[in-house]
Amino acid sequence: MKHFAHATALAACLALPAAAEQVGEVGVDWVGNDIIIDAIQDPKVEGVTCHIAYFDRSLIDRLSQGNWFEDPSNASIACRQTGPIKVGDIDLSEDGEQVFRESRSIILKSLRIKRIFDEPNQTLIYLVHAQELTEGSAKMSISTVPLYGATLAD
């Protein structure tokens, strides 16, 4: 039993990619296209939740418009403090680190959230963008969370 407790604690400490939980769905037309809203908890920053909204193509739209295996790159993000903020061991580089990734096509495109720490302003920046293998996309959205009185990892 003692080994199980240590293994569970170890697993909890390892940073896993954030998981999205669908919290909303808005129908936008008669063919069944929807806007999906997901909540994503930052796995390394306790007390921060991001909400992303993105377009989800229906079967009818895929059949009539072609481009069967791909969803649009558009996404919007809003991140807020949802509890006491405790910052874990985050990447402090200018490139930041990936918090979330979801495929938007079979192979070539993914929707990603990156976290970047703006140290001079004590602010976390969350950027949602599409990453494509063959060509980049200028479609992006950012949100910031100030770290007033937050606990930072040593």
Side-chain angles (χ1 to χ4, degrees), residues 61-83:
D61 186 56
R62 291 174 190 274
L63 290 171
S64 65
Q65 301 294 323
N67 205 2
W68 177 259
F69 299 108
E70 192 169 305
D71 279 327
S73 301
N74 303 21
S76 180
I77 189 168
C79 300
R80 299 291 183 268
Q81 180 175 354
T82 53

Side-chain angles (χ1 to χ4, degrees), residues 40-88:
I40 300 164
Q41 312 255 324
D42 188 323
K44 290 188 178 179
V45 181
E46 190 177 311
V48 172
T49 303
C50 294
H51 290 91
I52 60 170
Y54 58 91
F55 192 76
D56 186 47
R57 291 178 60 210
S58 70
L59 179 60
I60 294 170
D61 186 56
R62 291 174 190 274
L63 290 171
S64 65
Q65 301 294 323
N67 205 2
W68 177 259
F69 299 108
E70 192 169 305
D71 279 327
S73 301
N74 303 21
S76 180
I77 189 168
C79 300
R80 299 291 183 268
Q81 180 175 354
T82 53
I85 294 179
K86 184 176 180 186
V87 180

Side-chain angles (χ1 to χ4, degrees), residues 13-153:
C13 291
L14 295 175
L16 300 174
E21 176 185 350
Q22 184 173 323
V23 295
E25 182 175 337
V26 178
V28 296
D29 58 25
W30 67 271
V31 297
N33 291 317
D34 296 319
I35 295 172
I36 304 296
I37 302 168
D38 287 343
I40 300 164
Q41 312 255 324
D42 188 323
K44 290 188 178 179
V45 181
E46 190 177 311
V48 172
T49 303
C50 294
H51 290 91
I52 60 170
Y54 58 91
F55 192 76
D56 186 47
R57 291 178 60 210
S58 70
L59 179 60
I60 294 170
D61 186 56
R62 291 174 190 274
L63 290 171
S64 65
Q65 301 294 323
N67 205 2
W68 177 259
F69 299 108
E70 192 169 305
D71 279 327
S73 301
N74 303 21
S76 180
I77 189 168
C79 300
R80 299 291 183 268
Q81 180 175 354
T82 53
I85 294 179
K86 184 176 180 186
V87 180
D89 184 20
I90 64 171
D91 185 334
L92 302 176
S93 71
E94 192 173 279
D95 289 343
E97 75 182 292
Q98 184 172 284
V99 174
F100 175 78
R101 179 180 184 271
E102 179 177 80
S103 179
R104 304 302 287 155
S105 74
I106 286 189
I107 299 173
L108 304 177
K109 187 191 299 185
S110 62
L111 181 68
R112 297 172 186 235
I113 297 175
K114 288 196 91 172
R115 177 196 340 93
I116 298 169
F117 179 52
D118 174 1
E119 188 172 5
N121 295 300
Q122 289 296 292
T123 301
L124 296 173
I125 301 167
Y126 292 87
L127 168 72
V128 63
H129 67 97
Q131 184 160 353
E132 298 183 44
L133 184 62
T134 56
E135 58 186 65
S137 173
K139 298 172 184 173
M140 70 194 97
S141 180
I142 69 166
S143 187
T144 60
V145 177
L147 297 176
Y148 303 121
T151 305
L152 303 177

